[in-house]
Amino acid sequence: MKRWLWAGLFFLVLAGIWEWLVRREIWSPVLIPSPLDVARYLVESIRDKSLLQAGYITMKRLLLGYIVGLVLGLPLGLLNARFKLLEDTVGIVALGLQTLPSVCWAPLALLWFGQTETAMFFIVIMGSLWSIVIATDTGVRNVPPIYARAARTMGSRGLHTWLKVILPASLPFIVSGMKQGWAFAWRSLMAAEIYVTILTGFGLGHLLHYGRELHAMDAVIAIMLVIIVIGLLADKILFSPWEKFLHRRWGTARN
Amino acid sequence: MMAVTEELQNVPPEKLVVAGVSKWFRTSRADVHALDNVSLNVREGEFVCLVGPSGCGKSTLLNIIAGLEQPDAGQILADGQPVTGPGRERMMMFQESALFPWLDVLDNLLFGLKLKPNLKRHERREVAQFYLKLVGLEKFMHANIHELSGGMKQRVALARCLAPNPRMLLMDEPFAALDALTREQLYGDIQRIWEKRKKTIVFVTHNVREAACLGDRVVLFSPHPGRVQEEFTIGLPRPRDINSVELAKYSTEITRALKRHLKPEAAEVAE
């Protein structure tokens, strides 16, 4: 509770300094709008639902694409770690594609799928998939072999060993890979939304782009704030519980 | 005719038979001859210690007995049946605890029990709690592994090995990483539990005194390749104290034998 209080106070002071600077009129209000203007835009765009709509569309793209990335990435990573042949083939592809900045998928996706949702999903999937594959692969390789040996003497075999021993043992790596995959997906989706108009729905990136076209700095800053808040919430909701679990069980500060 | 004499003799079958086991490790640089024609019999309820310097193949032999590795020649019989893979009849305890950090203490014990068929949920829990109590850690049921000291970890590992009620325990230098005081406590614990639960134990160590303290029989290995050199029967009453003078006599004798069998360059044995 006390922590929240401090955080709230900190941001209030920050907004206060901002307002004060604006009132001294050092910069043109076109470049630095007042925090009150930003707030006003936020309230209005929530009231006329344009912001909520855009947020919904963006989150839908991100979450669905990310889930597909996870569903494909986890097993692929496990298989890579298990089979030498896959590691030497798919593993190299994964490593190569992971180094590719995921926004580079945008031109290809647009040519393949046109200005559609599929293109957006594709970019998000490509952004998250390879990080997850590599993290899972690395995680499995870093599992001390003694865990699997101990499990085998207790009667664990095959799939049971993989699901109950290898997978949980690689969790520290997998969670950090999932986090990285999420960050990549989020960045590439924003870039793609700003970069090109998708006819099937206007996301936050598109709203941001419009703000620039209209020289509406209050909208630009407001949407940037919304994007930051979404990032923070995702971190707290999606990853914090995992990290707390890892911290508690493994006794490590950070993985 | 053969059958009749066997019936008449009525000798209890050996719990464990190691028959002419050889093992090589092939690496890109060299072939290592780890075990050379090792034979060994262990009776039901016997506590046998395998002693030797590092590289004598004693841990490899234990892995083969456990079924975690296959011999290149010879075979292992447990209760007269050839060993083809690991099984919960022969539980193994390692130098590091090998406890699972993603589970708490109780769930670590339940891991093996869940793989044992025909146990109801509450029965599994009762069994787990019984063995935690046996090693004196029932209060730490819900502790995380990283919160335990080295000695407590090995106690939990011991409880985890005992919980599925194996007939045989295979222990690979389980106390080597612990401080002397904790080790002495565990010598007491393991003897107490062994007598109470009537297990057959094969215990690998490079510590001669430890072997003399725990074993009914101490089997001496020599390295390069691993061979059985000599056997010693320790005729001391239990529970034994690692610091007793009688024990020192045995360990001195074994150490002397060990040095005799060692090539000078490998003379790095404890105590």
Side-chain angles (χ1 to χ4, degrees), chain A residues 120-203:
Chain A
M120 292 287 109
F121 283 136
F122 184 76
I123 291 166
V124 172
I125 292 167
M126 287 299 135
S128 56
L129 177 64
W130 308 112
S131 299
I132 294 164
V133 170
I134 286 172
T136 311
D137 188 351
T138 315
V140 170
R141 277 165 206 285
N142 277 286
V143 173
I146 198 165
Y147 292 157
R149 292 163 76 87
R152 282 176 66 203
T153 61
M154 287 185 275
S156 171
R157 294 284 184 280
L159 195 63
H160 183 274
T161 310
W162 279 86
L163 292 180
K164 297 283 185 173
V165 181
I166 307 286
L167 198 61
S170 15
L171 260 187
F173 283 88
I174 293 177
V175 169
S176 67
M178 279 166 64
K179 216 172 154 175
Q180 196 187 16
W182 171 268
F184 285 170
W186 186 216
R187 280 158 179 69
S188 51
L189 177 63
M190 279 303 101
E193 283 190 353
I194 293 172
Y195 180 58
V196 68
T197 308
I198 298 298
L199 302 170
T200 42
F202 296 152

XYZ file of all heavy atoms in Angstrom, chain A residues 120-203:
652
model
N -0.970 -9.231 -39.784
C -0.618 -8.805 -38.424
C -0.280 -10.006 -37.537
O 0.716 -10.016 -36.828
C -1.786 -8.025 -37.804
C -2.061 -6.687 -38.440
S -0.829 -5.450 -38.015
C -0.001 -5.282 -39.570
N -1.144 -11.033 -37.601
C -0.875 -12.250 -36.826
C 0.478 -12.827 -37.178
O 1.258 -13.208 -36.320
C -1.953 -13.312 -37.100
C -3.244 -13.040 -36.384
C -4.455 -13.186 -37.038
C -3.237 -12.660 -35.051
C -5.643 -12.935 -36.374
C -4.422 -12.410 -34.385
C -5.630 -12.543 -35.057
N 0.725 -12.865 -38.479
C 1.977 -13.448 -38.960
C 3.176 -12.717 -38.344
O 4.124 -13.337 -37.863
C 2.019 -13.371 -40.487
C 3.227 -14.046 -41.077
C 3.302 -15.424 -41.155
C 4.291 -13.293 -41.553
C 4.406 -16.049 -41.699
C 5.403 -13.905 -42.093
C 5.460 -15.287 -42.167
N 3.106 -11.399 -38.336
C 4.219 -10.610 -37.791
C 4.400 -10.882 -36.296
O 5.518 -11.073 -35.812
C 3.987 -9.111 -38.055
C 4.123 -8.828 -39.550
C 4.983 -8.260 -37.264
C 3.588 -7.477 -39.968
N 3.288 -10.943 -35.583
C 3.377 -11.207 -34.141
C 3.940 -12.605 -33.881
O 4.808 -12.796 -33.020
C 1.994 -11.052 -33.477
C 2.046 -11.506 -32.024
C 1.537 -9.603 -33.553
N 3.454 -13.578 -34.643
C 3.929 -14.952 -34.447
C 5.429 -15.038 -34.725
O 6.196 -15.579 -33.932
C 3.153 -15.929 -35.358
C 1.699 -16.019 -34.905
C 3.790 -17.315 -35.315
C 0.793 -16.711 -35.913
N 5.847 -14.460 -35.838
C 7.263 -14.513 -36.185
C 8.113 -13.763 -35.157
O 9.251 -14.114 -34.899
C 7.489 -13.893 -37.570
C 6.999 -14.765 -38.702
S 7.874 -16.341 -38.702
C 6.540 -17.455 -38.955
N 7.525 -12.726 -34.584
C 8.266 -11.957 -33.585
C 8.507 -12.745 -32.302
O 9.560 -12.651 -31.691
N 7.520 -13.555 -31.900
C 7.634 -14.234 -30.613
C 8.186 -15.652 -30.736
O 8.921 -16.113 -29.870
C 6.259 -14.276 -29.935
O 5.312 -14.888 -30.793
N 7.829 -16.318 -31.816
C 8.109 -17.754 -31.953
C 9.579 -18.119 -31.722
O 9.892 -18.987 -30.909
C 7.654 -18.220 -33.344
C 7.935 -19.676 -33.711
C 7.178 -20.609 -32.800
C 7.528 -19.936 -35.155
N 10.488 -17.437 -32.401
C 11.883 -17.901 -32.416
C 12.572 -17.705 -31.077
O 13.384 -18.534 -30.674
C 12.651 -17.220 -33.548
C 11.914 -17.386 -34.835
C 11.304 -16.410 -35.552
C 11.643 -18.615 -35.525
N 10.668 -16.944 -36.638
C 10.868 -18.299 -36.645
C 11.964 -19.947 -35.290
C 10.411 -19.263 -37.543
C 11.516 -20.906 -36.185
C 10.751 -20.565 -37.297
N 12.217 -16.626 -30.388
C 12.771 -16.442 -29.034
C 12.338 -17.565 -28.127
O 13.117 -18.057 -27.315
C 12.282 -15.137 -28.420
O 12.704 -14.066 -29.189
N 11.070 -17.946 -28.250
C 10.536 -18.995 -27.382
C 11.194 -20.337 -27.710
O 11.584 -21.087 -26.819
C 9.001 -19.074 -27.514
C 8.375 -17.790 -26.966
C 8.448 -20.285 -26.782
C 6.940 -17.558 -27.366
N 11.351 -20.620 -29.006
C 12.014 -21.864 -29.418
C 13.415 -21.928 -28.822
O 13.806 -22.929 -28.199
C 12.101 -21.962 -30.960
C 12.997 -23.118 -31.375
C 10.719 -22.131 -31.557
N 14.168 -20.844 -28.986
C 15.567 -20.875 -28.553
C 15.679 -20.931 -27.039
O 16.503 -21.668 -26.491
C 16.310 -19.669 -29.145
C 16.538 -19.950 -30.630
C 17.637 -19.428 -28.439
C 17.069 -18.813 -31.399
N 14.809 -20.190 -26.354
C 14.862 -20.222 -24.889
C 14.517 -21.609 -24.358
O 15.168 -22.106 -23.436
C 13.906 -19.190 -24.307
N 13.499 -22.244 -24.947
C 13.120 -23.587 -24.498
C 14.261 -24.571 -24.752
O 14.639 -25.352 -23.877
C 11.855 -24.058 -25.242
O 10.885 -23.030 -25.178
C 11.301 -25.318 -24.626
N 14.808 -24.496 -25.941
C 15.942 -25.340 -26.323
C 17.096 -25.166 -25.325
O 17.604 -26.140 -24.751
C 16.354 -24.933 -27.750
C 17.404 -25.861 -28.330
O 17.916 -26.701 -27.575
O 17.705 -25.726 -29.518
N 17.494 -23.911 -25.105
C 18.596 -23.629 -24.172
C 18.255 -24.116 -22.774
O 19.100 -24.699 -22.087
C 18.865 -22.115 -24.110
O 18.871 -21.596 -25.429
C 20.194 -21.819 -23.440
N 17.006 -23.856 -22.359
C 16.579 -24.269 -21.030
C 16.728 -25.761 -20.835
O 17.290 -26.219 -19.843
N 16.262 -26.531 -21.793
C 16.342 -27.984 -21.700
C 17.797 -28.441 -21.644
O 18.161 -29.318 -20.871
C 15.612 -28.640 -22.890
C 15.893 -30.130 -22.928
C 14.125 -28.378 -22.792
N 18.637 -27.813 -22.455
C 20.047 -28.197 -22.452
C 20.746 -27.878 -21.142
O 21.771 -28.461 -20.820
C 20.784 -27.476 -23.576
C 20.621 -28.172 -24.869
C 21.020 -27.309 -26.029
N 20.309 -27.762 -27.186
C 20.621 -28.866 -27.833
N 21.648 -29.581 -27.443
N 19.916 -29.265 -28.865
N 20.200 -26.919 -20.409
C 20.832 -26.545 -19.148
C 20.272 -27.296 -17.949
O 20.685 -27.046 -16.827
C 20.689 -25.038 -18.931
C 21.762 -24.282 -19.674
O 22.924 -24.261 -19.278
N 21.394 -23.710 -20.801
N 19.341 -28.200 -18.196
C 18.814 -28.997 -17.090
C 19.897 -29.972 -16.648
O 20.422 -30.721 -17.474
C 17.553 -29.775 -17.520
C 17.122 -30.725 -16.424
C 16.435 -28.818 -17.861
N 20.277 -29.952 -15.369
C 21.292 -30.912 -14.911
C 20.825 -32.333 -15.193
O 19.708 -32.698 -14.820
C 21.366 -30.648 -13.405
C 20.856 -29.263 -13.222
C 19.832 -29.061 -14.301
N 21.654 -33.156 -15.845
C 21.228 -34.509 -16.218
C 20.813 -35.341 -15.008
O 20.033 -36.278 -15.138
C 22.470 -35.124 -16.869
C 23.445 -34.032 -17.065
C 23.025 -32.848 -16.272
N 21.302 -34.938 -13.838
C 21.004 -35.724 -12.639
C 19.503 -35.741 -12.326
O 18.991 -36.718 -11.790
C 21.822 -35.189 -11.441
C 21.876 -36.235 -10.338
C 21.275 -33.876 -10.927
C 22.916 -35.963 -9.300
N 18.768 -34.696 -12.710
C 17.320 -34.678 -12.481
C 16.641 -35.810 -13.241
O 15.805 -36.519 -12.701
C 16.703 -33.343 -12.914
C 17.087 -32.155 -12.070
C 17.020 -30.873 -12.578
C 17.521 -32.323 -10.761
C 17.375 -29.767 -11.808
C 17.881 -31.233 -9.989
C 17.806 -29.961 -10.513
O 18.153 -28.879 -9.760
N 17.010 -35.938 -14.507
C 16.398 -36.980 -15.326
C 16.799 -38.361 -14.810
O 15.980 -39.283 -14.776
C 16.811 -36.813 -16.782
N 18.048 -38.485 -14.359
C 18.504 -39.780 -13.838
C 17.728 -40.149 -12.582
O 17.265 -41.279 -12.424
C 19.999 -39.729 -13.538
C 20.860 -39.597 -14.773
C 22.256 -39.142 -14.388
N 23.044 -40.213 -13.816
C 23.760 -41.048 -14.536
N 23.796 -40.929 -15.843
N 24.457 -41.998 -13.969
N 17.616 -39.152 -11.681
C 16.869 -39.407 -10.447
C 15.427 -39.801 -10.779
O 14.883 -40.745 -10.208
C 16.893 -38.174 -9.551
N 14.832 -39.077 -11.731
C 13.444 -39.368 -12.102
C 13.323 -40.780 -12.670
O 12.360 -41.491 -12.375
C 12.947 -38.343 -13.117
N 14.301 -41.172 -13.461
C 14.230 -42.522 -14.064
C 14.311 -43.601 -12.997
O 13.616 -44.616 -13.087
C 15.354 -42.697 -15.080
C 15.049 -41.995 -16.401
C 16.221 -42.099 -17.351
N 16.458 -43.467 -17.768
C 17.636 -43.903 -18.225
N 18.652 -43.086 -18.296
N 17.766 -45.151 -18.601
N 15.154 -43.405 -11.979
C 15.218 -44.441 -10.937
C 13.889 -44.508 -10.179
O 13.559 -45.532 -9.625
C 16.359 -44.188 -9.925
O 16.132 -42.945 -9.276
C 17.705 -44.182 -10.594
N 13.147 -43.389 -10.178
C 11.851 -43.419 -9.487
C 10.740 -43.929 -10.395
O 9.571 -43.906 -10.009
C 11.502 -42.028 -8.956
C 12.357 -41.648 -7.764
S 11.877 -40.088 -7.019
C 12.741 -38.914 -8.009
N 11.099 -44.351 -11.591
C 10.112 -44.979 -12.461
C 9.541 -44.057 -13.528
O 8.599 -44.421 -14.222
N 10.087 -42.856 -13.657
C 9.599 -41.942 -14.694
C 10.223 -42.321 -16.040
O 11.389 -42.660 -16.116
C 9.979 -40.507 -14.318
O 9.702 -39.638 -15.384
N 9.384 -42.252 -17.089
C 9.867 -42.616 -18.420
C 9.339 -41.645 -19.462
O 8.268 -41.060 -19.272
C 9.366 -44.012 -18.825
C 9.884 -45.160 -18.010
C 11.323 -45.509 -18.373
N 11.766 -46.680 -17.639
C 12.185 -46.645 -16.367
N 12.210 -45.495 -15.715
N 12.544 -47.737 -15.749
N 10.053 -41.520 -20.569
C 9.560 -40.865 -21.774
C 8.842 -39.550 -21.551
O 9.404 -38.592 -21.019
N 7.583 -39.538 -21.972
C 6.791 -38.307 -21.941
C 6.652 -37.774 -20.514
O 6.704 -36.559 -20.286
C 5.404 -38.572 -22.547
C 4.620 -37.316 -22.910
C 5.339 -36.521 -23.979
C 3.218 -37.683 -23.363
N 6.488 -38.685 -19.550
C 6.360 -38.262 -18.153
C 7.606 -37.485 -17.727
O 7.519 -36.434 -17.100
C 6.142 -39.484 -17.262
C 5.932 -39.138 -15.816
N 6.979 -38.969 -14.943
C 4.805 -38.896 -15.099
C 6.499 -38.648 -13.747
N 5.181 -38.601 -13.821
N 8.779 -37.996 -18.068
C 10.023 -37.305 -17.718
C 10.062 -35.922 -18.354
O 10.447 -34.941 -17.718
C 11.237 -38.124 -18.197
O 11.082 -39.464 -17.763
C 12.527 -37.550 -17.647
N 9.614 -35.835 -19.612
C 9.657 -34.545 -20.298
C 8.709 -33.540 -19.682
O 9.065 -32.387 -19.459
C 9.355 -34.724 -21.789
C 10.591 -35.176 -22.498
C 11.024 -36.457 -22.646
C 11.593 -34.341 -23.080
N 12.227 -36.466 -23.282
C 12.604 -35.183 -23.572
C 11.743 -32.955 -23.229
C 13.747 -34.695 -24.203
C 12.875 -32.478 -23.865
C 13.861 -33.341 -24.347
N 7.507 -33.978 -19.381
C 6.510 -33.044 -18.865
C 6.722 -32.702 -17.398
O 6.495 -31.583 -16.975
C 5.098 -33.619 -19.059
C 4.647 -33.720 -20.514
C 3.255 -34.304 -20.590
C 4.694 -32.355 -21.190
N 7.163 -33.696 -16.613
C 7.221 -33.492 -15.169
C 8.614 -33.121 -14.675
O 8.769 -32.709 -13.523
C 6.763 -34.773 -14.449
C 5.335 -35.152 -14.731
C 4.379 -34.281 -13.944
C 2.964 -34.762 -14.148
N 2.027 -34.066 -13.276
N 9.623 -33.328 -15.486
C 10.988 -33.036 -15.024
C 11.684 -32.018 -15.928
O 12.038 -30.929 -15.486
C 11.830 -34.331 -14.936
C 13.232 -34.020 -14.429
C 11.154 -35.337 -14.025
N 11.838 -32.361 -17.189
C 12.621 -31.498 -18.083
C 11.955 -30.133 -18.252
O 12.604 -29.093 -18.125
C 12.790 -32.163 -19.469
C 13.353 -33.572 -19.325
C 13.647 -31.302 -20.380
C 14.800 -33.653 -18.976
N 10.653 -30.148 -18.490
C 9.939 -28.885 -18.723
C 9.979 -27.969 -17.491
O 10.414 -26.816 -17.606
C 8.502 -29.180 -19.173
C 7.765 -28.031 -19.851
C 8.479 -27.608 -21.120
C 6.337 -28.435 -20.186
N 9.558 -28.447 -16.311
C 9.655 -27.543 -15.154
C 11.094 -27.153 -14.815
O 11.327 -26.038 -14.361
C 9.020 -28.336 -14.010
C 8.881 -29.730 -14.481
C 8.859 -29.707 -15.975
N 12.037 -28.062 -15.049
C 13.424 -27.722 -14.729
C 13.937 -26.603 -15.626
O 14.814 -25.839 -15.235
C 14.317 -28.954 -14.863
N 13.393 -26.494 -16.836
C 13.864 -25.429 -17.732
C 13.045 -24.146 -17.605
O 13.268 -23.213 -18.364
C 13.889 -25.898 -19.186
O 13.185 -27.058 -19.402
N 12.118 -24.111 -16.651
C 11.248 -22.933 -16.508
C 11.979 -21.586 -16.435
O 11.546 -20.638 -17.073
C 10.350 -23.089 -15.281
C 8.928 -23.536 -15.546
C 8.124 -23.471 -14.252
C 8.256 -22.677 -16.602
N 13.065 -21.478 -15.671
C 13.722 -20.170 -15.619
C 14.092 -19.647 -17.010
O 13.885 -18.473 -17.313
C 14.976 -20.436 -14.784
C 14.622 -21.584 -13.928
C 13.703 -22.440 -14.756
N 14.579 -20.520 -17.858
C 14.934 -20.110 -19.214
C 13.685 -19.837 -20.042
O 13.623 -18.869 -20.791
C 15.759 -21.203 -19.899
C 17.183 -21.233 -19.454
C 17.553 -21.970 -18.354
C 18.160 -20.507 -20.125
C 18.872 -22.001 -17.920
C 19.472 -20.523 -19.700
C 19.816 -21.274 -18.597
N 12.707 -20.718 -19.908
C 11.509 -20.588 -20.728
C 10.789 -19.278 -20.417
O 10.354 -18.572 -21.328
C 10.569 -21.803 -20.520
C 11.240 -23.061 -21.079
C 9.234 -21.575 -21.198
C 10.450 -24.328 -20.869
N 10.688 -18.937 -19.136
C 9.981 -17.706 -18.780
C 10.702 -16.484 -19.343
O 10.070 -15.579 -19.898
C 9.806 -17.589 -17.248
C 9.334 -16.212 -16.863
C 8.809 -18.630 -16.767
N 12.037 -16.466 -19.258
C 12.722 -15.298 -19.806
C 12.590 -15.281 -21.327
O 12.493 -14.203 -21.932
C 14.181 -15.244 -19.353
O 14.917 -16.286 -19.896
N 12.536 -16.445 -21.950
C 12.314 -16.495 -23.393
C 10.919 -16.020 -23.774
O 10.736 -15.319 -24.770
N 9.931 -16.398 -22.940
C 8.553 -15.959 -23.198
C 8.451 -14.451 -23.096
O 7.750 -13.793 -23.862
C 7.603 -16.606 -22.186
C 7.213 -18.026 -22.531
S 6.444 -18.872 -21.143
C 4.966 -17.890 -20.936
N 9.189 -13.903 -22.140
C 9.171 -12.461 -21.930
C 9.810 -11.742 -23.122
O 9.288 -10.731 -23.607
C 9.953 -12.152 -20.650
C 9.364 -11.024 -19.874
C 10.043 -10.883 -18.537
C 9.901 -9.445 -18.098
N 10.420 -9.216 -16.761
N 10.902 -12.289 -23.558
C 11.579 -11.708 -24.714
C 10.688 -11.802 -25.947
O 10.563 -10.847 -26.720
C 12.889 -12.462 -24.946
C 13.838 -11.717 -25.840
C 15.050 -12.561 -26.178
O 15.048 -13.776 -25.994
N 16.079 -11.926 -26.685
N 10.053 -12.960 -26.113
C 9.149 -13.150 -27.251
C 8.007 -12.147 -27.231
O 7.630 -11.581 -28.254
N 7.479 -11.914 -26.030
C 6.406 -10.943 -25.861
C 6.882 -9.542 -26.268
O 6.209 -8.831 -27.015
C 5.943 -10.946 -24.406
C 4.997 -9.842 -24.068
C 5.323 -8.618 -23.569
C 3.573 -9.845 -24.249
N 4.195 -7.865 -23.407
C 3.108 -8.591 -23.821
C 2.658 -10.790 -24.720
C 1.762 -8.246 -23.857
C 1.324 -10.446 -24.746
C 0.882 -9.203 -24.325
N 8.051 -9.174 -25.806
C 8.585 -7.841 -26.111
C 8.784 -7.678 -27.622
O 8.414 -6.649 -28.198
C 9.901 -7.632 -25.371
N 9.345 -8.694 -28.243
C 9.568 -8.625 -29.695
C 8.239 -8.504 -30.442
O 8.101 -7.712 -31.376
C 10.326 -9.855 -30.187
C 11.792 -9.831 -29.847
C 12.584 -10.958 -30.036
C 12.387 -8.683 -29.338
C 13.933 -10.933 -29.726
C 13.725 -8.647 -29.020
C 14.497 -9.785 -29.212
N 7.264 -9.298 -30.032
C 5.966 -9.301 -30.699
C 5.293 -7.937 -30.570
O 4.762 -7.387 -31.539
C 5.079 -10.394 -30.099
N 5.352 -7.396 -29.385
C 4.740 -6.100 -29.079
C 5.375 -4.998 -29.932
O 4.694 -4.201 -30.558
C 4.921 -5.855 -27.592
C 4.279 -4.658 -26.919
C 4.840 -3.944 -25.911
C 3.000 -4.076 -27.138
N 3.988 -2.956 -25.494
C 2.845 -3.008 -26.232
C 1.947 -4.354 -28.024
C 1.713 -2.211 -26.181
C 0.812 -3.554 -27.976
C 0.707 -2.500 -27.062
N 6.702 -4.975 -29.984
C 7.399 -3.974 -30.777
C 7.076 -4.092 -32.260
O 6.794 -3.095 -32.937
C 8.912 -4.121 -30.592
C 9.438 -3.502 -29.319
C 10.773 -4.138 -28.925
N 11.326 -3.566 -27.721
C 10.812 -3.714 -26.512
N 9.711 -4.412 -26.351
N 11.378 -3.162 -25.462
N 7.098 -5.313 -32.752
C 6.898 -5.477 -34.198
C 5.451 -5.162 -34.588
O 5.193 -4.594 -35.658
C 7.265 -6.892 -34.639
O 6.613 -7.830 -33.828
N 4.525 -5.489 -33.681
C 3.123 -5.181 -33.991
C 2.915 -3.667 -34.056
O 2.264 -3.158 -34.976
C 2.202 -5.796 -32.928
C 0.726 -5.483 -33.115
C 0.213 -6.069 -34.418
C -0.101 -6.002 -31.951
N 3.469 -2.943 -33.105
C 3.350 -1.485 -33.110
C 3.946 -0.904 -34.398
O 3.354 -0.038 -35.061
C 4.077 -0.892 -31.898
C 3.282 -0.938 -30.616
S 1.709 -0.103 -30.752
C 0.611 -1.451 -30.961
N 5.136 -1.397 -34.743
C 5.790 -0.900 -35.955
C 4.901 -1.161 -37.169
O 4.684 -0.274 -38.006
C 7.140 -1.574 -36.120
N 4.356 -2.369 -37.224
C 3.538 -2.733 -38.373
C 2.274 -1.880 -38.433
O 1.851 -1.451 -39.506
C 3.181 -4.214 -38.304
N 1.682 -1.626 -37.264
C 0.446 -0.834 -37.251
C 0.694 0.619 -37.670
O -0.150 1.250 -38.288
C -0.203 -0.881 -35.856
C -0.931 -2.194 -35.590
C -1.773 -2.158 -34.317
O -1.698 -1.170 -33.563
O -2.499 -3.129 -34.081
N 1.861 1.140 -37.294
C 2.182 2.513 -37.691
C 2.535 2.556 -39.178
O 2.184 3.476 -39.909
C 3.360 3.054 -36.850
C 2.923 3.201 -35.400
C 3.866 4.392 -37.385
C 4.053 3.537 -34.443
N 3.203 1.515 -39.609
C 3.794 1.446 -40.935
C 2.740 1.342 -42.024
O 2.881 1.868 -43.106
C 4.711 0.224 -40.929
C 5.467 -0.098 -42.176
C 6.345 0.822 -42.750
C 5.335 -1.363 -42.765
C 7.067 0.489 -43.884
C 6.053 -1.698 -43.878
C 6.913 -0.773 -44.446
O 7.624 -1.107 -45.550
N 1.646 0.670 -41.716
C 0.696 0.398 -42.777
C -0.735 0.379 -42.251
O -0.978 -0.039 -41.116
C 1.048 -0.935 -43.474
C 0.813 -2.098 -42.545
C 0.262 -1.087 -44.751
N -1.645 0.875 -43.053
C -3.048 0.862 -42.678
C -3.617 -0.525 -42.922
O -3.541 -1.050 -44.023
C -3.842 1.862 -43.531
O -3.173 3.112 -43.455
C -5.252 1.984 -43.009
N -4.145 -1.104 -41.867
C -4.784 -2.406 -42.018
C -6.287 -2.154 -42.098
O -6.877 -1.547 -41.212
C -4.453 -3.314 -40.815
C -2.950 -3.548 -40.738
C -5.196 -4.637 -40.926
C -2.353 -4.252 -41.921
N -6.844 -2.629 -43.187
C -8.221 -2.247 -43.472
C -9.226 -2.903 -42.532
O -10.335 -2.426 -42.361
C -8.548 -2.612 -44.914
C -7.595 -1.937 -45.921
C -7.780 -2.499 -47.306
C -7.780 -0.430 -45.923
N -8.810 -4.024 -41.908
C -9.773 -4.767 -41.091
C -9.887 -4.235 -39.672
O -10.649 -4.769 -38.887
C -9.382 -6.248 -41.045
O -7.970 -6.327 -40.870
C -9.763 -6.950 -42.319
N -9.106 -3.222 -39.310
C -9.248 -2.683 -37.962
C -8.128 -1.714 -37.636
O -6.984 -1.956 -37.995
N -8.491 -0.615 -36.974
C -7.478 0.369 -36.593
C -6.985 0.089 -35.183
O -7.732 0.198 -34.221
C -8.067 1.787 -36.646
C -8.480 2.194 -38.032
C -9.505 3.103 -38.225
C -7.827 1.679 -39.152
C -9.887 3.482 -39.502
C -8.204 2.058 -40.431
C -9.246 2.958 -40.611
N -5.706 -0.210 -35.084
C -5.122 -0.470 -33.766
C -4.516 0.785 -33.182
O -4.636 1.883 -33.739
